[in-house]
Amino acid sequence: MRQVCVRAGSRIAMKDDKAGERRPEPSINIEHVLDLAAEMFAEYGFDGVSMRELGRAADCATPSIYYHFTSKANLYNEVFAHKIDQTIDLINGRLAGLEDPHARFKELIAAFFDMFTGDRTLLLLMQRDVIDAAVSKRRFLSK
């Protein structure tokens, strides 16, 4: 995961620029941006969210977001990866300490159920991703 830079924090990550000089990265809370972007992409879809709107919602400058994410598509992929990582951590936490395969399987099913009923954002993101893939395929085939 990326270094998290917070506005009020004293820790600022440094990055080499093209001239080889060290300069501070723009201070944004990456976790906050990823969580906010997940909600916005889930609600409005990829095409319904602009980087400018996300910057406004996250209270940070749009170029700061582009500094950490090279494009909206890159941000979308990172959002999906972030949500999947959170899901894996949740499931692993629930399976920890269970030795019996039957109990582990039951807990895995329960965790998936809880995940999809408790995290509307993940469910909507996955639904939109499937729908967008089908629409893109139809557009390609119709040309």
Side-chain angles (χ1 to χ4, degrees), residues 13-14 19 27 35-36 43 49 55 68 95 102 105 115-116 118 142:
M14 302 294 279
S27 295
D35 290 338
L36 203 60
E43 191 67 31
V49 177
H68 295 280
L95 296 178
H102 186 259
F105 182 72
M115 175 184 64
F116 283 118
S142 68

Side-chain angles (χ1 to χ4, degrees), residues 11-135:
R11 194 175 59 187
I12 301 288
M14 302 294 279
K15 187 172 183 176
D16 292 336
D17 63 12
K18 291 179 183 175
E21 296 179 20
R22 306 268 304 157
R23 60 185 171 89
E25 291 184 4
S27 295
I28 65 172
N29 184 326
I30 301 289
E31 292 281 328
H32 177 65
V33 170
L34 288 171
D35 290 338
L36 203 60
E39 292 173 17
M40 292 175 74
F41 284 134
E43 191 67 31
Y44 306 109
F46 180 81
D47 293 330
V49 177
S50 74
M51 295 294 267
R52 180 173 290 142
E53 290 169 339
L54 176 60
R56 226 177 283 125
D59 193 30
C60 63
T62 305
S64 296
I65 297 172
Y66 276 114
Y67 185 88
H68 295 280
F69 307 99
T70 56
S71 65
K72 187 166 89 167
N74 173 246
L75 172 62
Y76 184 79
N77 291 336
E78 290 290 329
V79 162
F80 230 101
H82 179 66
K83 290 303 285 183
I84 297 299
D85 287 345
Q86 287 176 336
T87 301
I88 290 169
D89 290 345
L90 172 84
I91 291 171
N92 283 338
R94 289 187 56 173
L95 296 178
L98 294 176
E99 298 297 325
D100 177 48
H102 186 259
R104 287 179 63 85
F105 182 72
K106 283 179 67 174
E107 189 60 34
L108 178 67
I109 298 302
F112 270 106
F113 178 79
D114 292 347
M115 175 184 64
F116 283 118
T117 57
D119 190 351
R120 179 178 175 271
T121 303
L122 178 62
L123 180 62
L124 287 174
L125 275 174
M126 294 179 84
Q127 287 176 339
R128 284 192 179 278
D129 198 53
V130 169
I131 291 167
D132 288 346
V135 169

